[in-house]
Amino acid sequence: MYAKKRTQINVRLLRVSYFPQYKNLPNVLCPYLWMEESGEVTDKLALEFKDTVYPALKGKLITKWICIGIFAVCTIICLTLFFFAYRKREAALNRNEGYDYVDLKSAAPNKNNVA
């Protein structure tokens, strides 16, 4: 396997009014530095690299999907519990169970029976 990397660094040239030589210079990018790197890897080293990196990437993928599955199951459980708690509360409200309502007319002091 053969690989090559090329890098170029540019400099932006601008007109400068106080230098007469640059009066007619257009605003351009000028190449300043050019680097090129290349290398070759044998098939044995490429296979060794693949055998080292691939299991870690596969483990990361498996872990991600396990976490997504756990989150989905927990979400379904929470929504189910919320639904049943909501229905239980609605049923209790409809039957007036567990709630003490005070009749304000009967609880008010009687003006005729002053102690």
Side-chain angles (χ1 to χ4, degrees):
M1 180 176 14
Y2 183 76
K4 187 182 276 192
K5 180 176 92 170
R6 294 179 178 155
T7 305
Q8 180 176 340
I9 299 176
N10 298 319
V11 175
R12 185 173 176 189
L13 298 177
L14 302 172
R15 280 188 212 121
V16 181
S17 61
Y18 46 85
F19 287 119
Q21 299 91 344
Y22 297 111
K23 183 173 67 172
N24 296 325
L25 181 72
N27 293 337
V28 294
L29 289 176
C30 182
Y32 178 71
L33 179 67
W34 174 270
M35 293 182 289
E36 185 172 318
E37 297 177 70
S38 61
E40 189 169 353
V41 177
T42 63
D43 290 338
K44 180 183 175 187
L45 286 175
L47 184 61
E48 183 181 325
F49 178 77
K50 179 183 171 190
D51 290 342
T52 304
V53 173
Y54 185 71
L57 292 176
K58 191 172 184 180
K60 181 181 171 186
L61 181 69
I62 291 170
T63 304
K64 177 180 80 169
W65 284 109
I66 287 173
C67 290
I68 289 172
I70 291 171
F71 176 76
V73 168
C74 290
T75 301
I76 291 170
I77 290 171
C78 288
L79 288 174
T80 304
L81 291 175
F82 175 76
F83 175 74
F84 283 120
Y86 179 77
R87 288 193 58 194
K88 185 177 180 181
R89 181 175 176 268
E90 284 293 317
L93 284 175
N94 290 336
R95 291 188 310 263
N96 290 334
E97 290 180 1
Y99 294 97
D100 294 329
Y101 292 102
V102 176
D103 185 13
L104 295 177
K105 291 182 182 177
S106 64
N110 192 347
K111 293 179 183 176
N112 297 333
N113 298 333
V114 177

